[in-house]
Amino acid sequence: MRVQSLTLVAASAALLAPTTFPGAPLPPRPAPRVEPPPGYQPHADPVRAGRSGPRTGPVSRPQAGPALPTGIRPRAGAVARHKDGGRQEPVRAEDLLARVRGCDPVSHGRYRTDAGAPADTPVCGRGDAVYWKADLDVDCDGRPGDRCNSGTDPYFSSATAYTQSDGLPLDAERLPYVVVPEPSDIWDHREHDVHGGSVAAVVYGDRVRYAVVGDVGPRDLIGEASYAAARSLGIPADPHGGGTPSGVTYIVFEGSDVEPLEDKAAAEKTGERLAREFVDGG
């Protein structure tokens, strides 16, 4: 009787135990913790409530000439400057910020950084670049992953305005990209030869990181970048409570292009070159 009772108990426990089917997807892993930089202040929750409207896209990228072997398309007048032919030091944040200290507006109005905030952010132009100084809201849209999905982001969209070379949406977890506003009477980025794959330098504190234009946001809001871009800058990347309310400078180089758009290494290489030209432009 003792042996029979133990057998019945074991069988009952097996029936009550949760079943894992072969090939079943694992639950999403929580995003790794990013220690915020000194002086960091989180956004009010939720940060993307004003950015949850329909996105523009997918948008066709403009046709260009044959790609170079590195995957970087040429930009008119873009010639790398090397004083001694050797390798130069990376462009510093302070040098880029000094170059964009003032503002010659190219936008016909100003943007809000969040819904309900004052419209006080212009798009400025200098040399072969446009730039703006704003917050950073975390864009987790695109291909779903462990950290960017409908479970982690209440405003998640599986589409991005621009796509990879295989036609799939971008991967916000792995590709640093920035978001430009939808063309409007405030500003039309297309008039400045800014499009999907254009290269951007993003500055926060003493960090400079390079990204591509990868998505299009609401027509009256500005200041948004991908999960990967936020992490690279040391900004908490939680799409629901991360980001930073100020202190981010976005510099987009007109006429630049990276193909394939998802080539992160090519974006970093051409970004460093264009940032050096921009700083040396005086």
Side-chain angles (χ1 to χ4, degrees), residues 136 172 175-178 202 209 211 225-235:
L136 189 151
L175 180 67
Y177 67 74
V178 301
V202 189
R209 298 295 183 265
S226 68
Y227 178 101
R231 280 189 58 80
S232 71
L233 291 163
I235 296 172

Side-chain angles (χ1 to χ4, degrees), residues 250-268:
Y250 304 79
I251 305 170
V252 183
F253 301 106
E254 299 177 355
S256 60
D257 195 18
V258 169
E259 188 171 319
L261 189 151
E262 67 270 21
D263 192 337
K264 180 180 175 182
E268 292 173 349

Side-chain angles (χ1 to χ4, degrees), residues 87-110:
R87 183 175 181 179
Q88 293 182 317
E89 292 296 319
V91 175
R92 300 179 302 173
E94 61 188 270
D95 295 331
L96 282 169
L97 293 177
R99 187 79 168 91
V100 298
R101 186 171 290 125
C103 177
D104 295 321
V106 296
S107 59
H108 303 293
R110 300 188 175 212

